[in-house]
Amino acid sequence: MSDMLLEGKAQGGQLKLAGAGAWTAQNARALEALIDGETARAGKLRQVDIDMRGVERLDTFGAWLLERLVRDFSARGCQTSVSGLREDYRALIDELHAVKPEQAPAHGNGQSLTYALGSIGQSIAAIGESFTAFINMLGALVAVVGRVALRPRGFRFTSLVHQLDNVAWRAVPIILLITFLIGCIIAQQGLFHFRKFGADIYVVDMVGILVLREIGVLIVAIMVAGRSGSAYTAELGSMKMREEIDALRTMGFDPIEVLILPRIVALIIGVPILTFLGSMAALYGGGIVCWLYGGIDPDIFLSRLKEAITIDHFKVGMIKAPFMAMIVGVVASVEGLAVKGSAESLGLQTTASVVESIFLVIVLDGLFAIFFASIGM
Amino acid sequence: MARGNGSKDTIIEVRDVVVGFGEHIVLNRVDLDVYRGEILGFVGGSGAGKSVLMRTIIGLLPKRAGTIKVLGVDMAAASDDARRAVERRWGVLFQQGALFSSLSVRENLQFPVREYLDLSQRLLDELVIAKLDMVGLDASVCEKFPSELSGGMTKRVALARALALDPDIVFLDEPTSGLDPIGAGEFDNLIATLQRTLGLTVFMVTHDLDSLHTVCDRIAVLADGKVIAAGAMDVMLASKHPWLQAYFHGKRSRADHAERQ
Ligand SMILES: Nc1ncnc2c1ncn2[C@@H]1O[C@H](COP(=O)(O)OP(=O)(O)O)[C@@H](O)[C@H]1O
Ligand SMILES: [Mg+2]
């Protein structure tokens, strides 16, 4: 049926085209092919008559194709006439006839090499930008803390309690479970390998030191980045998208003071607590595996642990916790405020927030390791 | 003013529809007819349930009772294919525009077309420009993203997207709210022009008395969960119902009327 849509007969310099059937969206593809076939006709044409009597239905798609047909022939210098069109379609045809032939600006990614180089440049610039944004946010936070310290009643305790509930209290079960499992795994691996040297008992040293200094705080910081950092970014980002942050500003509130400070303070309080709980759970897991798998009695485990670890190991872990919390909080806030209007950008910034904060947490851990080694802790 | 609906061909038929959320019954046995080729203005107080009825007709909200027929198809009883065929023949302009924020204007307009029709890229691009031209925008907005558009432009692009598949029916939820009076007037004219050129049936939720006066063929009024009146403007003006009296003869409408005279 589609070949009935348009038929052409050429006679000398004259072309007679007859349209028929439904010139509608469904047939647009077939019709376009027919029309392009006609306009590509070789030979010299002076006059084109388009007879539309047979066309039963016409919508924007068909009308545009008719318009294109007319324009293409006119551009070739032909006399073009359209006849037999139903009166109700007049307005539509006129409307489309008025469309300017202006082409949309070219789109696409351009040349692939320039595109590749360009995107490398852009991502390097983006790293620089997020670094400045990070420093900016830190500065703004310090300023806000100063302001709040002078006027402590301005601090939002309700918000803080709510955030603490979210980031600390509700995180306890999952943190305990994960750190417990990690403790078990470390002890099991240690036992398995140390047994070859008959050094089973040193597993206790390894579990104690590793958990208290590194693993406890790292696992907690990473979990919090994934759990609360992403939530912060998404919350702040969607508030930004819906102009809620602008609304706060216009009412004379500082969004950093109202939204961000309570969240970061909640993290700074919550993460050390979670680190403590997580470390205990990991030691507990290690102890259980040593007992059940390694045959080390709980009494022996505890006395060995007492000898192996000092208060310094514990302090090292706990000192790092608030700094990690701060990094997660600041990165999440920076990324949240960087969200633009689209849903896609919300997703991108949330991903960036988690990836960046985990990366920075590990970098910071490395820097702390150097620092503590040099002061002999 | 009625345009070509002498035969009164019913295109949307709502009968005894009940919609509620929990205990709260929003629509209580609503009846409504929309005729082919007309612009129906749908009014009612804020929170009366106008958007709810619109969303129920287009199948976004479940109804508790009643039937809704669109283009003669009972939407609840129809097969998936029949329902999708009907859905293809309507376009919806949501209250906030609901443009896809991660797609450019061009991609927003091409999205439904690509889904349903297999057209060449050239034709798709040309149609975007033609559709934008029809709603009074030029090709320079093509590559913009929804967050870069003004309120009026958003409404126009959203209307162009609603028209992308050349629907028979368009649903407009408060198309002129949030526009300045001049912009609102232009939008009204645009709707009237498009209705004429494309032979659309328009279901328009509105609060704009000007729109009701200038472009609507008929007006339906929703109050207390029911359609309490439906008819042309003079029927509304003559009605003795207290809500209609307050709405059409209130201070704002009188001021509006005086100016007109
Ligand atoms: N998703 C929903 N859940 C609960 N109640 C709703 C929902 N949508 C609308 N409502 C209620 O239905 C009533 C009608 O709302 P709506 O149709 O949006 O009003 P309007 O007539 O101003 O468009 C309101 O009371 C609203 O609270
Ligand atoms: Mg509404």
Side-chain angles (χ1 to χ4, degrees):
Chain A
M1 127 129 224
S2 69
D3 43 12
M4 297 293 290
L5 290 168
L6 185 70
E7 273 176 314
K9 253 190 258 128
Q11 273 181 339
Q14 203 182 24
L15 176 64
K16 280 194 192 304
L17 294 174
W23 282 37
T24 52
Q26 267 73 26
N27 295 331
R29 188 176 181 80
L31 190 57
E32 187 187 20
L34 290 172
I35 280 179
D36 287 349
E38 292 299 339
T39 50
R41 234 173 231 272
K44 196 152 169 52
L45 288 173
R46 267 174 295 106
Q47 185 162 2
V48 181
D49 295 317
I50 306 166
D51 179 5
M52 297 289 284
R53 254 176 314 173
V55 173
E56 292 142 21
R57 279 192 298 132
L58 187 75
D59 65 4
T60 325
F61 293 80
W64 174 256
L65 286 168
L66 175 62
E67 177 64 23
R68 190 206 270 182
L69 187 65
V70 172
R71 282 185 191 191
D72 285 355
F73 276 122
S74 303
R76 278 173 62 176
C78 304
Q79 285 281 335
T80 316
S81 72
V82 180
S83 62
L85 201 63
R86 280 208 343 241
E87 209 36 50
D88 4 345
Y89 297 135
R90 187 86 270 155
L92 179 58
I93 295 289
D94 290 347
E95 180 75 43
L96 288 174
H97 191 63
V99 172
K100 286 182 271 325
E102 167 182 29
Q103 275 303 310
H107 55 106
N109 292 336
Q111 300 217 306
S112 52
L113 181 65
T114 21
Y115 178 72
L117 289 177
S119 66
I120 293 176
Q122 272 167 6
S123 30
I124 291 175
I127 293 176
E129 271 163 31
S130 46
F131 182 72
T132 6
F134 183 84
I135 301 291
N136 255 331
M137 178 62 73
L138 268 185
L141 267 177
V142 170
V144 166
V145 168
R147 200 151 12 112
V148 170
L150 291 179
R151 193 173 43 86
R153 285 184 44 211
F155 185 70
R156 283 155 219 276
F157 279 102
T158 334
S159 172
L160 173 66
V161 172
H162 175 71
Q163 297 298 339
L164 266 177
D165 178 50
N166 274 343
V167 304
W169 181 236
R170 285 165 200 259
V172 168
I174 186 70
I175 293 275
L176 288 184
L177 180 64
I178 286 193
T179 46
F180 172 81
L181 290 176
I182 298 269
C184 292
I185 293 165
I186 292 176
Q188 189 270 338
Q189 286 294 307
L191 284 167
F192 185 78
H193 292 282
F194 284 16
R195 195 172 278 160
K196 294 177 193 151
F197 315 107
D200 302 26
I201 197 68
Y202 290 104
V203 166
V204 183
D205 298 46
M206 183 183 78
V207 168
I209 294 173
L210 204 55
V211 162
L212 290 182
R213 284 184 82 106
E214 301 292 339
I215 298 294
V217 64
L218 267 184
I219 294 293
V220 167
I222 288 170
M223 273 303 287
V224 166
R227 199 179 160 279
S228 308
S230 60
Y232 282 3
T233 307
E235 283 164 22
L236 292 171
S238 60
M239 291 178 84
K240 175 98 188 295
M241 271 163 72
R242 287 191 269 146
E243 299 181 322
E244 291 173 39
I245 292 189
D246 298 336
L248 273 177
R249 273 212 183 94
T250 56
M251 292 178 215
F253 292 103
D254 180 357
I256 296 187
E257 184 182 327
V258 178
L259 298 174
I260 294 178
L261 186 65
R263 284 178 161 81
I264 291 184
V265 172
L267 281 183
I268 291 178
I269 298 175
V271 170
I273 298 175
L274 290 175
T275 302
F276 176 75
L277 295 176
S279 304
M280 295 307 121
L283 290 182
Y284 186 71
I288 285 186
V289 168
C290 284
W291 182 30
L292 299 179
Y293 176 80
I296 301 174
D297 256 15
D299 286 343
I300 302 176
F301 180 86
L302 281 179
S303 62
R304 181 70 209 165
L305 194 63
K306 225 184 274 171
E307 280 168 42
I309 61 177
T310 64
I311 191 73
D312 275 355
H313 294 309
F314 177 69
K315 275 200 251 168
V316 164
M318 295 306 288
I319 288 172
K320 287 193 281 193
F323 290 94
M324 307 232 166
M326 180 116 125
I327 284 201
V328 171
V330 172
V331 168
S333 311
V334 168
E335 295 297 340
L337 293 184
V339 168
K340 313 245 171 15
S342 75
E344 192 184 13
S345 110
L346 182 61
L348 280 178
Q349 301 299 344
T350 309
T351 311
S353 157
V354 175
V355 172
E356 254 173 57
S357 39
I358 291 178
F359 172 74
L360 287 178
V361 156
I362 290 172
V363 169
L364 185 73
D365 194 56
L367 294 179
F368 267 120
I370 299 170
F371 172 73
F372 286 126
S374 56
I375 65 167
M377 244 172 112
Chain B
M1 212 193 182
R3 281 184 284 258
N5 54 9
S7 58
K8 295 242 168 176
D9 179 9
T10 305
I11 199 166
I12 302 174
E13 186 184 303
V14 176
R15 289 287 174 271
D16 282 335
V17 164
V18 179
V19 180
F21 302 97
E23 298 280 284
H24 177 42
I25 302 292
V26 178
L27 302 177
N28 190 10
R29 306 181 74 82
V30 165
D31 289 337
L32 182 68
D33 285 312
V34 182
Y35 303 118
R36 186 179 290 279
E38 73 173 351
I39 301 185
L40 178 82
F42 195 55
V43 300
S46 257
K50 304 179 296 295
S51 302
V52 167
L53 177 60
M54 193 185 108
R55 295 171 72 86
T56 310
I57 295 175
I58 57 187
L60 295 175
L61 287 176
K63 57 186 187 314
R64 294 195 180 160
T67 54
I68 294 176
K69 283 190 187 166
V70 181
L71 294 156
V73 178
D74 182 349
M75 296 304 276
S79 68
D80 275 0
D81 283 343
R83 199 168 46 235
R84 215 161 301 138
V86 172
E87 282 169 355
R88 245 205 64 178
R89 293 173 62 189
W90 70 43
V92 183
L93 170 59
F94 287 94
Q95 217 164 345
Q96 312 294 337
L99 295 175
F100 303 122
S101 56
S102 51
L103 302 181
S104 67
V105 167
R106 171 216 301 282
E107 291 160 339
N108 261 287
L109 297 194
Q110 289 177 350
F111 184 78
V113 186
R114 262 186 220 287
E115 187 62 30
Y116 283 111
L117 305 170
D118 178 27
L119 300 182
S120 71
Q121 186 62 42
R122 173 177 168 208
L123 185 56
L124 284 172
D125 287 347
E126 286 173 350
L127 282 167
V128 165
I129 296 180
K131 290 268 149 91
L132 285 175
D133 196 273
M134 285 171 123
V135 298
L137 293 171
D138 60 42
S140 62
V141 298
C142 265
E143 301 308 316
K144 287 210 163 84
F145 282 87
S147 55
E148 301 165 344
L149 301 177
S150 74
M153 284 155 88
T154 304
K155 294 249 155 134
R156 282 167 191 261
V157 173
L159 180 62
R161 190 182 66 179
L163 296 174
L165 284 168
D166 268 61
D168 294 345
I169 312 172
V170 280
F171 293 91
L172 311 173
D173 197 351
E174 305 205 14
T176 54
S177 70
L179 299 186
D180 63 281
I182 300 174
E186 282 175 1
F187 207 85
D188 283 341
N189 290 338
L190 176 64
I191 290 167
T193 312
L194 289 174
Q195 192 272 340
R196 265 197 313 276
T197 40
L198 303 173
L200 300 169
T201 305
V202 180
F203 179 101
M204 173 159 71
V205 175
T206 186
H207 273 304
D208 194 330
L209 284 165
D210 275 319
S211 310
L212 293 173
H213 274 290
T214 53
V215 299
C216 294
D217 299 316
R218 272 189 338 126
I219 295 165
V221 182
L222 184 71
D224 308 323
K226 286 190 190 307
V227 171
I228 56 169
M233 192 67 184
D234 35 353
V235 180
M236 298 294 128
L237 292 173
S239 167
K240 290 278 168 280
H241 192 286
W243 196 90
L244 294 181
Q245 289 266 321
Y247 194 86
F248 291 104
H249 299 282
K251 225 179 196 156
R252 300 184 60 158
S253 68
R254 246 203 303 276
D256 172 70
H257 221 62
E259 250 172 42
R260 202 178 297 280
Q261 250 114 74

